Amino acid sequence: MPISLGELATRFGCELIGDPETTVVGVASLSNADSGSLTFLSNSSYLPELPATQAAAVILRKEDAERCPVNALVCDQPYAMYARMAACVCPDPVYPAGIHASAVIAPSSSIAESAHIGANVVVGERARIGANVMLGPGCFVGPDCDIGPGSQFVANVTIVRDVRIGARGLFHPGVVLGADGFGNAMTPDGWVKVPQLGGVRIGDDVEIGANSTVDRGAIGDTVIEDGVRLDNLVMIAHNVHVGAHTAMAAMSGIAGSTTIGKRCMFAGQGGAVGHVKICDDVIVAAKSFVTKDVTEPGTYGASFPAEDMKSWAKQVARFRRLGNLFDRVKKLEK
């Protein structure tokens, strides 16, 4: 949507250095931007690209403004500001209200008149679909589910049953909410399935990436609080509680009954074993997993970066000899 820099600066509280009448119609990277593009500079590693940019305007910090050859929108947090402005310049599509002819709707369900129900959607008994909800093609909403206003389900999202979702959520293709947790009891005759009788409770402004899963609780609910961000291929097991504004990158996995605080971050393939508690403001590094309670905010990690196989084989051989070395040192100390 075309918008002037003057309007952007006023609406979002930025300092504009340049022509307020310049109009932007899209967004692009520093190196690919043209005279109609809005871009940003947040990471100093991209600073060498700034002098050559052809953008209409660059969102950047005050200290970088002198090097900018084009219009500049100056603020303290360029990346967050870019996110807000990009949503304004490139707004989400508007979906018309109505129910597609191929949708299957249970008579006992309740669907707001402003909701968009796409092709081949199934809405189960007693399900409630709020105002301005968008259910894309192939979505399934099972019995006794409640979807808050303004939430969007892009395509082929499965909401099994007893799932409550707040307002303005965004759920990408292949997400599964409310499937059974992995509950099994071992007996001499084999495994006995433990009934998964809880639900899932998801707060406002939550985004869950493609092919991620949130299991229903065994007893009680699995809880995802407000503002949580889950990347693609994230696994949340039964009765996990994820605090507000926590984020998890791709392939993170959280085992059952773990409690995670607010504003935590899990890098790619990060995780936690079951029944541990992690306090607020904890960062878990890539390929690291938490095995005991974390009571102090900070960054935690333990993993081996890739290296050439010969070197790694030597290190593995040394690891295997550590037990013998420990015994020898213990004897010498005596």
Side-chain angles (χ1 to χ4, degrees):
M1 182 178 72
I3 187 168
S4 71
L5 297 183
E7 184 176 347
L8 284 173
T10 300
R11 184 182 301 186
F12 295 101
C14 287
E15 176 189 355
L16 172 61
I17 302 175
D19 178 12
E21 300 302 319
T22 299
T23 298
V24 295
V25 296
V27 298
S29 64
L30 271 172
S31 58
N32 293 326
D34 59 25
S35 60
S37 301
L38 178 70
T39 188
F40 71 100
L41 173 65
S42 178
N43 189 326
S44 59
S45 63
Y46 293 98
L47 195 56
E49 296 181 10
L50 180 60
T53 188
Q54 300 295 310
V58 182
I59 307 167
L60 40 62
R61 297 183 181 87
K62 185 75 172 179
E63 58 265 30
D64 298 321
E66 291 183 0
R67 307 187 195 185
C68 186
V70 296
N71 299 302
L73 292 159
V74 179
C75 62
D76 293 332
Q77 296 180 311
Y79 190 42
M81 185 60 69
Y82 165 76
R84 298 184 182 101
M85 290 187 176
C88 180
V89 175
C90 304
D92 289 336
V94 176
Y95 297 94
I99 300 174
H100 194 276
S102 63
V104 178
I105 311 297
S108 62
S109 65
S110 172
I111 299 176
E113 290 186 2
S114 57
H116 171 91
I117 310 299
N120 299 312
V121 168
V122 175
V123 178
E125 298 290 347
R126 301 172 301 282
R128 293 170 295 279
I129 311 299
N132 300 308
V133 166
M134 191 282 283
L135 290 173
C139 289
F140 173 86
V141 181
D144 301 303
C145 292
D146 192 335
I147 298 175
S151 290
Q152 297 187 41
F153 303 80
V154 177
N156 296 314
V157 176
T158 300
I159 309 168
V160 179
R161 60 186 174 94
D162 298 315
V163 177
R164 288 172 287 165
I165 298 171
R168 300 174 301 279
L170 177 57
F171 303 87
H172 293 278
V175 166
V176 178
L177 307 173
D180 277 3
F182 193 56
N184 295 278
M186 174 57 83
T187 74
D189 298 321
W191 295 106
V192 176
K193 181 176 175 61
V194 178
Q196 303 294 288
L197 304 176
V200 174
R201 182 157 47 91
I202 296 176
D204 297 339
D205 302 299
V206 170
E207 181 172 357
I208 300 182
N211 294 320
S212 292
T213 61
V214 180
D215 287 348
R216 63 192 296 102
I219 301 174
D221 293 338
T222 302
V223 177
I224 309 292
E225 291 188 2
D226 294 349
V228 167
R229 296 290 188 269
L230 304 182
D231 196 1
N232 302 332
L233 298 169
V234 171
M235 164 64 191
I236 305 295
H238 57 191
N239 295 106
V240 168
H241 191 122
V242 180
H245 306 293
T246 285
M248 299 182 189
M251 300 180 71
S252 293
I254 309 299
S257 300
T258 287
T259 299
I260 297 171
K262 304 179 190 301
R263 300 175 301 279
C264 293
M265 291 189 288
F266 286 71
Q269 296 188 345
V273 301
H275 303 276
V276 300
K277 292 180 172 60
I278 299 172
C279 69
D280 298 345
D281 301 303
V282 167
I283 298 173
V284 178
K287 292 193 174 184
S288 302
F289 62 96
V290 177
T291 60
K292 58 184 179 181
D293 290 355
V294 177
T295 58
E296 295 291 333
T299 301
Y300 296 80
S303 61
F304 292 99
E307 56 182 291
D308 71 273
M309 283 302 299
K310 287 185 178 180
S311 175
W312 176 241
K314 289 179 181 179
Q315 292 184 48
V316 170
R318 290 169 183 154
F319 296 153
R320 290 174 172 170
R321 293 198 295 268
L322 282 177
N324 292 333
L325 179 60
F326 176 83
D327 292 339
R328 289 174 59 191
V329 171
K330 194 172 182 180
K331 288 180 181 178
L332 290 170
E333 287 177 340
K334 290 181 179 179

